[in-house]
Amino acid sequence: MSGRNERAGAASVDEASPAAPVRQRIGTEPVGAVAAAWTDYLAAARQLDGVRRAAATAAAEQARAVEAAREELAGLHARLAPQQAGLRELGVPPITLTPTPPELTEAARSMVGGPAAVLAALRVARGWADAADATLAARGPLRPAAWPPRARNLLVYGPLALLVPMIQLVVLVVAGAGAASLVALVVGLPMPAVAFGAGWVAVGRLFPPRPGERLDRTPRLGALTCLVPAVVTASVIMLALLAG
């Protein structure tokens, strides 16, 4: 009897006690949240990589613009220096060649946009320098510096080549075919070489080359110009001496 009563009591206790909660399995319910977070992370990583690439491209373009602006500035300075010197030689007052405060303010305002804006402004200034060169060349055709090298150098070699022969002919006409003419002939023999050397130096002094250009002294033309008058004059004096 006692054993049956114990089993009945245990059964009643089991029926009276509330059912224990059953623990759910982890692994199926949070999968969607993890996938969404991973997708957001990949999108953010791609966006960050795009921003990094854009920043690197902008930095590279800015560096190229800075280098190009430096080269443009050096070339423009080399162009403006001889232009300023040439204008001063033509009598332009130095104060006219100096930028005014409003011009400096406008130039500073145009450079606020960074290296690209500075490069664009320098290229515009180079166009103005080209236009100034064209204007000076068009308005100054009578200036020997604007002539071709042969015609320009002939103005130097020619007078030097004719100087001594003219003196020899004057001596021949005044003194006649005698000892004076013979002395003038002997003295004039090395004069073509002297005239050529003087013309070589004078061409470099009178017509200095522009930056980046090479001076053409036309040596063959200079030698021929200095030699022909001397040979002709020597031949005339020799014929006069032989005839006398």
Side-chain angles (χ1 to χ4, degrees):
M1 292 291 295
S2 60
R4 183 178 297 174
N5 293 332
E6 291 177 355
R7 288 193 296 271
S12 61
V13 170
D14 291 340
E15 291 176 359
S17 62
V22 179
R23 182 175 298 176
Q24 296 181 355
R25 295 179 60 187
I26 300 175
T28 58
E29 189 272 333
V31 169
V34 173
W38 178 253
T39 302
D40 294 340
Y41 170 76
L42 290 179
R46 286 193 294 268
Q47 185 177 5
L48 181 61
D49 183 67
V51 172
R52 181 186 63 80
R53 291 175 181 271
T57 302
E61 292 179 355
Q62 186 174 8
R64 288 193 294 268
V66 169
E67 186 65 25
R70 288 177 178 174
E71 295 178 358
E72 192 74 24
L73 179 61
L76 185 60
H77 180 72
R79 291 281 304 280
L80 294 179
Q83 282 187 1
Q84 187 178 19
L87 291 174
R88 287 183 177 178
E89 291 178 358
L90 293 176
V92 178
I95 191 174
T96 308
L97 304 175
T98 304
T100 60
E103 292 174 344
L104 293 175
T105 303
E106 184 64 24
R109 186 180 305 170
S110 65
M111 297 180 183
V112 176
V118 174
L119 180 60
L122 290 174
R123 287 176 176 172
V124 172
R126 183 181 62 178
W128 292 345
D130 294 339
D133 282 340
T135 302
L136 291 175
R139 293 186 178 182
L142 298 179
R143 295 174 55 218
W147 293 7
R150 290 179 176 273
R152 176 195 66 195
N153 296 342
L154 190 61
L155 292 177
V156 179
Y157 290 116
L160 294 174
L162 294 175
L163 180 60
V164 174
M166 291 297 295
I167 296 176
Q168 290 175 331
L169 292 177
V170 169
V171 172
L172 178 62
V173 172
V174 173
S181 298
L182 182 59
V183 172
L185 176 62
V186 174
V187 172
L189 291 179
M191 287 299 106
V194 175
F196 176 75
W200 179 280
V201 175
V203 167
R205 295 291 182 87
L206 296 176
F207 312 113
R210 295 179 179 178
E213 295 183 355
R214 182 173 177 272
L215 179 61
D216 186 8
R217 288 187 168 90
T218 59
R220 294 182 179 179
L221 176 64
L224 187 63
T225 303
C226 295
L227 186 61
V228 170
V231 172
V232 173
T233 303
S235 302
V236 172
I237 294 175
M238 287 294 298
L239 293 175
L241 290 175
L242 293 176

